[in-house]
């Protein structure tokens, strides 16, 4: 078992519009990308974030950037009352616990 | 014409660019200078209030160089989502800066201003006809939402900008516009492929963020041919790599293969990214797929109230251990004391526990110190001030079980401890609206300005 963070080049989060949060994992080469991407599932993400699987909208594999993109429903829209990260730029840390 | 060249000076008008990069971009002889001025990322306040998230002096600094270069070279300057959010107040603010720059340059120019504000009655009519639908995980729109919007804009596609170019505008200030349109309008008008032109615009829109090392305040240059386009950073310190360009395709969107916009989608399933010598990347294979019906995105923000915040730290381990029940107790005390005030929101953010991720935080375990932000939002600034002040003084002297630090619970960062933060807005419209004519929603005014 290895940590995805140890082989990923980029682990980041950002708004995809005010109602969705998108997480990108990017890998240095095709081999690493192919080795890791299969283990990134909606269930694993839901478990890491302790959210319902239905809140994980999509997982898309994007070969040209050796990237896996995960999109979540934002718990609250950007800037709504009680919301904590207007740009959504610091919601990626739970991915550091992802293993493969 | 075998190729058309587009200079994108900066990621957002007002974010700046090194003059040497801009001049290196001009040396490549662009046919158009285009820049995106907007984003929804800074949150709902800017759309709602009509204010820009960029500063006037920074926008003026950029415009001074852009306007002078465009007029001197007799090429169009196109600005999208003027003023940051593209409502009339934003566009007019940006226009006033362009006019000031023209006066200072001693020049005149023909300016097209394209407004994107949507009449509430029209939106209500469309809603009743079933021609408005949610975009993503959003509730169905209601008439109340439409009426409550402080500003309501639609995101224009290519057509209004192409019309402004055909009308002979030298400077185009567009309200809310789909980001790639300002870069793609001239190429498409000249007969270049729509899919490639829009995809090039999609990358140019963030300027040198797509290069490596990336920067939001530096230029990117695009050259569109008949079956591909090439991107390069005029600043020799930056390179476009296959990875930096492909990676940018992921940025701020949920699916990198299908990128929806007004009137159609970009399909990247066949897109090929090739690295060329000299820090350039060639992109080909992207297709534009028009939708059967033309949809535009509607964006609205409504006033929620007024905010007051107070910032304080906690270092006492006994209090930190029971911070949740302390905060709950304070909220109860506030509610009990102001029983006639129902319509307020009181929240205490706990940095050091779950301040960044809120309810999404999987490990809300407090550290040895906490940063608290007491936040009150009420229907008037006075009510917000009152609630925040009362919550702050209650928390300061709150007697929790086992308390030993009986002189006070909070380390205040400032005096005064409470900051009135003004109006608060929320996004309340994020929907797609069907339109028959992609031009008719967007009112263009063409005039000469300057001197």
């Amino acid at each position: 078992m290895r940590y995805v963070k140890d082989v990923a080049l980029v682990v980041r989060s950002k708004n995809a519009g005010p109602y969705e949060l998108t997480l990108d994992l990017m890998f240095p080469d095709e081999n690493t990308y192919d080795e890791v991407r299969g283990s990134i599932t909606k269930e694993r993400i839901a478990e890491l974030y302790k959210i319902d699987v239905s809140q994980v909208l999509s997982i898309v594999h994007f070969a040209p950037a050796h990237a896996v993109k995960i999109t979540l429903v934002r718990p609250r829209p950007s800037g709504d009352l009680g919301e904590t990260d207007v740009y959504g730029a610091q919601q990626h840390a739970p991915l550091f616990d992802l293993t493969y | 014409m075998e190729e058309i060249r587009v200079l994108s000076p900066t990621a957002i008008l007002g974010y700046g660019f090194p003059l040497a990069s801009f001049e290196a971009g001009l040396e490549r002889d662009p046919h158009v200078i285009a820049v995106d001025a907007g984003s929804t990322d800074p949150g709902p306040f800017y759309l709602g209030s009509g204010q820009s998230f960029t500063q006037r002096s920074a926008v003026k600094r950029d415009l001074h160089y852009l306007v002078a270069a465009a007029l001197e070279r007799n090429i169009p300057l196109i600005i999208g989502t003027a003023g940051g959010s593209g409502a009339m107040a934003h566009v007019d603010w940006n226009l006033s800066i362009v006019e000031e720059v023209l006066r200072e340059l001693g020049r005149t120019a023909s300016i097209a201003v394209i407004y994107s504000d949507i009449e509430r009655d029209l939106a209500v009519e469309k809603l009743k006809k079933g021609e408005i639908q949610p975009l993503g995980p959003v509730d169905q729109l209601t008439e109340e939402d439409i009426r409550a919007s402080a500003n309501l804009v639609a995101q224009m596609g290519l057509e209004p900008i192409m019309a402004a170019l055909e009308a002979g505008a030298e400077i185009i200030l567009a309200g809310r516009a789909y980001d790639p349109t300002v870069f793609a309008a001239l190429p498409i008008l000249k007969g270049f492929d729509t899919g490639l032109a829009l995809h090039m615009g999609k990358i140019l829109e963030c300027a040198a963020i797509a290069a490596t090392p990336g920067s939001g305040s530096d230029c990117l240059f695009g050259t569109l041919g008949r079956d591909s386009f090439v991107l390069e950073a005029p600043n020799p310190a930056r390179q476009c790599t296959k990875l930096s360009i492909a990676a940018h395709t992921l940025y701020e969107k949920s699916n990198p293969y299908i990128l929806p916009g007004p009137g159609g989608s970009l399909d990247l399933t066949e897109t090929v990214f090739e690295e060329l010598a000299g820090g350039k990347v060639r992109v080909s294979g992207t297709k534009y797929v028009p939708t059967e019906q033309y949809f535009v995105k509607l964006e609205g923000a409504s006033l929620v109230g007024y905010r007051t915040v107070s910032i304080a730290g906690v270092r006492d381990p006994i209090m930190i251990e029971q911070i949740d029940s302390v905060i709950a107790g304070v909220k109860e005390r506030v509610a009990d004391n102001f029983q006639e005030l129902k319509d307020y929101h009181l929240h205490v953010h706990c940095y050091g526990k779950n301040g960044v991720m809120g309810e999404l935080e999987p490990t809300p375990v407090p550290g040895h110190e906490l940063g608290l932000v007491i936040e009150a939002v009420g229907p008037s600034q006075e009510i917000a001030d009152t609630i925040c002040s009362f919550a702050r003084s209650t928390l300061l002297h709150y007697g929790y079980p086992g308390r030993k630090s009986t002189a006070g619970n909070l380390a205040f960062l400032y005096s005064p401890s409470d900051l009135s933060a003004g109006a608060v807005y929320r996004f309340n419209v994020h929907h797609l609206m069907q339109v028959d004519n992609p031009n008719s929603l967007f009112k263009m005014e063409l005039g000469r300005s300057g001197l």
Side-chain angles (χ1 to χ4, degrees), chain B residues 306-309 345-347 374-378 383-385 387-388:
Chain B
Y306 299 82
R307 176 180 280 132
T308 307
V309 298
H345 158 94
L346 173 61
H347 189 79
I374 305 167
E375 174 190 9
V377 176
I383 292 173
D385 289 350
I387 297 295
C388 184

Side-chain angles (χ1 to χ4, degrees), chain A residues 71-91:
Chain A
T71 302
L72 311 179
V73 177
R74 257 177 161 286
R76 291 157 198 258
S78 163
D80 239 35
L81 290 184
E83 201 270 318
T84 55
D85 186 357
V86 171
Y87 288 62
Q90 281 292 310
Q91 303 300 310

Side-chain angles (χ1 to χ4, degrees), chain B residues 117-133:
Chain B
D117 305 78
I118 298 302
E119 298 281 346
R120 306 300 187 274
D121 289 342
L122 173 76
V124 169
E125 189 189 313
K126 288 275 188 190
L127 180 69
K128 286 180 175 161
K129 282 203 250 171
E131 294 179 357
I132 296 182
Q133 63 190 61

Side-chain angles (χ1 to χ4, degrees), chain A residues 38-59:
Chain A
S39 60
I40 304 167
T41 62
K42 286 189 175 185
E43 289 71 23
R44 297 284 298 278
I45 299 300
E47 213 175 287
L48 284 174
Y49 280 83
K50 298 188 177 154
I51 54 176
D52 195 84
V53 176
S54 66
Q55 300 300 292
V56 185
L57 292 173
S58 64
I59 295 185

Side-chain angles (χ1 to χ4, degrees), chain B residues 55-328:
Chain B
Q55 289 299 313
R56 185 183 177 94
S57 50
V59 171
K60 187 177 166 187
R61 180 269 178 197
D62 286 1
L63 278 173
H64 175 85
Y65 295 108
L66 304 185
V67 169
L71 293 181
E72 189 180 321
R73 293 172 166 261
N74 198 24
I75 57 174
L77 168 63
I78 312 178
I79 297 158
T81 310
S85 303
M88 186 178 279
H90 303 102
V91 176
D92 288 348
W93 175 82
N94 207 327
L95 176 62
S96 76
I97 304 172
V98 169
E99 286 172 334
E100 194 175 304
V101 166
L102 283 170
R103 281 195 299 275
E104 288 178 13
L105 291 170
R107 300 290 298 258
T108 67
S110 94
I111 301 182
V113 178
I114 310 168
Y115 291 105
S116 54
D117 305 78
I118 298 302
E119 298 281 346
R120 306 300 187 274
D121 289 342
L122 173 76
V124 169
E125 189 189 313
K126 288 275 188 190
L127 180 69
K128 286 180 175 161
K129 282 203 250 171
E131 294 179 357
I132 296 182
Q133 63 190 61
L135 177 57
V138 186
D139 290 337
Q140 289 288 343
L141 194 62
T142 65
E143 182 169 347
E144 293 69 50
D145 289 326
I146 293 170
R147 303 278 179 208
S149 293
N151 276 308
L152 181 66
V153 295
Q155 194 187 54
M156 70 183 78
L158 291 158
E159 296 81 358
I161 296 166
M162 288 163 70
L165 284 168
E166 284 184 301
E170 294 168 288
I171 299 173
I172 299 171
L173 278 164
R176 185 68 177 119
Y178 177 50
D179 296 346
T181 53
V182 292
F183 307 94
L186 186 69
I188 293 168
L189 202 60
K190 299 284 184 196
F192 286 83
D193 181 74
T194 303
L196 290 172
L198 282 172
H199 191 191
M200 185 169 86
K202 194 98 204 167
I203 298 167
L204 288 174
E205 171 261 302
C206 277
I209 290 176
T212 184
S215 166
S217 57
D218 204 346
C219 312
L220 199 68
F221 196 89
T223 303
L224 174 61
R226 287 296 160 190
D227 52 14
S228 66
F229 61 89
V230 174
L231 296 158
E232 61 184 310
N235 184 341
R238 303 185 196 287
Q239 314 280 308
C240 287
T241 66
K242 192 179 148 180
L243 198 65
S244 77
I245 295 296
H248 183 72
T249 304
L250 293 168
Y251 190 60
E252 293 176 342
K253 49 193 74 78
S254 50
N255 183 341
Y257 286 110
I258 305 291
L259 308 176
S265 290
L266 281 181
D267 181 342
L268 271 67
T269 45
E270 310 274 308
T271 300
V272 177
F273 299 89
E274 285 168 86
E275 210 160 288
L276 308 179
K280 300 179 186 183
V281 169
R282 182 195 304 281
V283 183
S284 59
T286 307
K287 295 193 172 52
Y288 180 70
V289 186
T291 43
E292 210 165 294
Q293 297 287 347
Y294 197 106
F295 287 97
V296 293
K297 180 162 78 165
L298 290 183
E299 294 171 353
S302 61
L303 183 70
V304 173
Y306 299 82
R307 176 180 280 132
T308 307
V309 298
S310 187
I311 305 171
V314 181
R315 184 64 179 75
D316 186 297
I318 303 169
M319 173 153 161
I320 288 175
E321 217 168 61
Q322 49 190 310
I323 189 69
D324 289 343
S325 61
V326 170
I327 290 169

